[in-house]
Amino acid sequence: MLEVLTPAPGAEALIAAVQSGADAVCIRFGGAGARGFTQSEFARSVRYCRVRGCRVYAELDTLVADSEMAAAADFVRSACEAGVDAVIAEDWGFIAAARAVAPLMRVFAGPKLGIHNAAGLEAAAQLGVARVMLPAELPLADIAALARRSSVELGVTVHGALCSSWEGQCYLAAVNGRGSANRSDCPGLCRERYSLGGRMDDYPLSLKDLRGLDYIPELENLGIACAIVGRGIKRPEQLAKVTEICVKCVRDGRKPLAAEKDELELVFTGREGTDAYLRGAVEDDMLSLPGAPDRDAERAMNAVRKGYADTELRRVKVEFFALIQQGRPFRSGIQDQDGNRAVWNGPEPMQAVGQPLGQRAVEAEFRRTSGTPYACERVNVMLGRGLMLPEGLLQQARRELIHSLTAKRAEPPAMRTGRLPIPVGGKPAADHLTAIFEVMNAEQLTAELAELAPGYIYAPLTVLAENPERLEPFLAAGATPVAVLPRVIRDAELKETARQLGRVRSAGVTQALVGNLGHVALTRMAGMDARGDYSLNIFNSYSMDVAASAGLLSATASFELTMEQIKQLSKPLETEIIVYGRLPVMLTERCLIKASAGRCACGTPSRMSDDFGGVYPVLREAVCRNALYGPMKVFLADRLDEVLLAGVSGMRLLFTNEGARECVEVAKSFLGKSEYRPNGLTRGLYYRGVD
């Protein structure tokens, strides 16, 4: 049966989810950069859930730096000791570390890892991932196709807050110095006001909530492992209500009733909903700015709160037995649905003086389990005639049995743990920086740029497929051309991607830049080698090892790392960083350009501006997905000695909306042939980092 999984951001939310019938809860541990439960709250919460038969998944919702990996390993050990059922990871390196530290613990891949096609699922399976939480942007048709081919369990979000960006590809907060979504510190900048098309009263990034409970029967039929409800929702009352209704729908194999939808609309007053992604209709109106609940909503939530706070949902099935025979000590016991048992012995029964003890009275006493997590299904009584027990003894037996059973259920299973492995040693330090030029359009691929003889020239796959002749001067200058694959390639887009790869392969391109582990297999099928892009979010030495094991020729270190952190990385393969350019801040499934222009105009770059004068270029990445880039340009031309000392071998110049002339001048400045300095410069995050 489909598992109902509710993320619980706090202790009250956890109680609300469990008492509303959630099959599993996801709790965040407050270590290694993540924000969530403290260690003591964590242990108490796991015990609370284990007693009540609710599975617990502990999430480390952050990229993990090398200096934090030992604490992350301790988190896994703590999870084992507490008895959690699985660990959810958002970092490729942490997956590898968790598998080594707790080889018997199930590890799930979170949505920030961006696994969205069959090849990605296979890559995750090879790393030992047991379940993949799919991105919210996937339509039901894609989910169905993946479910038919997947060797791992799949989780699908059916209710919760939607991010404007693909998770794991939002750097908006980091670039603006206001936290990091990849480090579990998202300030919700997408909910702020921006201008597209000259309108400053617009909120082009603020999406409605996902409402997909109607898809429960289809997901059940597809064999999906779990339905995730309440992601990004903080009010415990709202989590309780949506969990309760989802549990009923799963149990009965149906969609929500009209009355249940009305209940949801009431408690979620101020938050509009959409199922556009699941329907595959991203062109529909998905924008909304969340408001505050009104008085009716607050009254409804008060009733919901009373329901989970004042009652105990009896969700664990038990049966009692009682042996009351003359000449033998009173013996009683309890057994739950999972096979846990407890026994309690008392004194011998006495001959009755007056009314003897009756079968129904014994059964009635043991069935009094209200206020506990247990629902009594049967009482087996062997009662001799004319006997009685001391007053209150049956009540004492029931209480003692429940207490003992609770202690047994809370006890975590023994699980073997291991040591955190030492990362693979690095390659010898480079003695010079190889120049890498990355362009976004064909007009930037000029002969003058080629004359500067970069080591590599990166360009979008579509640009190279449509303009292979543009590569000729670069090939003549000895540059290695590299086709940049889109960060998202859904299975329905594979055929066209394969055609384009074949075309550029025929033009002499033998390498591709991939931003998703699932795309490595695509390049190999085309007879090409793969290099790792920034969107892999390589943040530690363990993810470097994963990249090397995947057969990548090089890796791009996360631009959320400081220069010192990059220096500390073990580098088993060539490592590059972005030393110039507007940093990417968001990848949207919705076409912002179309939203601004009112028609599909992806071939024409657009821009978004904020209330503080920042201008964000909006470029088409693939299909109608848009990539937003930051308002400032990273510039490290005067810090290249520090880049080299950090063990970096490749300096990448990322050209976005620059004209061809500016590309040449910037490249010259990095090659020591010019003193040119563009406007709007920043050091990025290399010297201040993220929390």
Side-chain angles (χ1 to χ4, degrees), residues 442-659:
E443 289 69 28
Q444 294 169 331
L445 288 170
T446 62
E448 193 174 4
L449 189 64
E451 288 174 1
L452 298 176
Y456 297 89
I457 179 69
Y458 293 178
L461 174 62
T462 52
V463 170
L464 296 183
E466 295 169 3
N467 307 273
E469 72 285 352
R470 293 275 188 168
L471 284 178
E472 293 177 3
F474 290 92
L475 292 171
T480 299
V482 179
V484 181
L485 269 61
R487 284 174 276 176
V488 173
I489 306 174
R490 288 166 42 188
D491 282 343
E493 299 159 4
L494 291 177
K495 185 175 181 179
E496 176 60 19
T497 302
R499 185 193 69 80
Q500 293 174 348
L501 283 170
R503 184 172 173 81
V504 300
R505 182 68 181 84
S506 299
V509 180
T510 61
Q511 297 182 18
L513 187 68
V514 301
N516 189 288
L517 278 189
H519 300 168
V520 177
L522 306 181
T523 63
R524 288 178 178 163
M525 291 174 63
M528 301 167 69
D529 293 318
R531 309 179 77 86
D533 206 355
Y534 63 83
S535 52
L536 288 173
N537 290 324
I538 294 178
F539 206 76
N540 54 63
S541 297
Y542 297 86
S543 50
M544 278 286 192
D545 287 350
V546 171
S549 299
L552 298 182
L553 297 179
S554 67
T556 306
S558 169
F559 52 75
E560 293 189 86
L561 290 169
T562 65
M563 199 64 70
E564 182 60 30
Q565 288 173 318
I566 293 171
K567 183 178 181 179
Q568 297 302 320
L569 289 177
S570 176
K571 302 178 181 66
L573 69 174
E574 293 181 5
T575 304
E576 65 183 71
I577 67 170
I578 297 172
V579 296
Y580 168 80
R582 299 177 185 269
L583 294 177
V585 297
M586 193 174 284
L587 177 67
T588 70
E589 185 67 11
R590 292 176 57 253
C591 182
L592 300 180
I593 298 175
K594 179 178 179 181
S596 174
R599 57 185 176 83
C600 185
C602 289
T604 304
S606 184
R607 65 181 188 175
M608 182 184 81
S609 33
D610 59 28
D611 282 346
F612 307 101
V615 177
Y616 302 77
V618 183
L619 306 179
R620 178 182 183 270
E621 180 158 311
V623 193
C624 275
R625 296 183 191 96
N626 289 171
L628 276 73
Y629 292 86
M632 305 285 285
K633 299 173 183 176
V634 170
F635 190 85
L636 298 181
D638 55 342
R639 298 288 182 94
L640 296 183
D641 54 340
E642 297 174 20
V643 175
L644 188 60
L645 286 174
V648 173
S649 57
M651 58 173 185
R652 194 199 309 188
L653 279 59
L654 176 58
F655 301 117
T656 51
N657 61 345
E658 290 90 345

Side-chain angles (χ1 to χ4, degrees), residues 8 99 195 211 227 238 243 259 272 304 325 446 471 548 624 658 667:
R99 294 282 298 149
S195 172
R211 304 278 175 87
Q238 294 173 329
T243 299
E272 296 182 272
V304 173
Q325 295 288 327
T446 62
L471 284 178
C624 275
E658 290 90 345

Side-chain angles (χ1 to χ4, degrees), residues 85-109:
D85 298 277
V87 169
I88 302 177
E90 303 285 5
D91 180 310
W92 289 113
F94 176 65
I95 288 177
R99 294 282 298 149
V101 171
L104 300 181
M105 174 72 72
R106 301 182 80 206
V107 178
F108 298 165

Side-chain angles (χ1 to χ4, degrees), residues 106-165:
R106 301 182 80 206
V107 178
F108 298 165
K112 288 182 183 176
L113 290 173
I115 302 170
H116 60 272
N117 56 33
L121 294 177
E122 182 57 32
Q126 291 176 5
L127 289 173
V129 169
R131 179 184 295 179
V132 170
M133 306 303 187
L134 295 174
E137 289 82 1
L138 294 184
L140 185 64
D142 282 29
I143 295 170
L146 293 176
R148 288 191 292 267
R149 302 175 61 183
S150 178
S151 60
V152 299
E153 297 176 359
L154 301 180
V156 176
T157 301
V158 295
H159 189 284
L162 281 177
C163 298
S164 188
S165 173

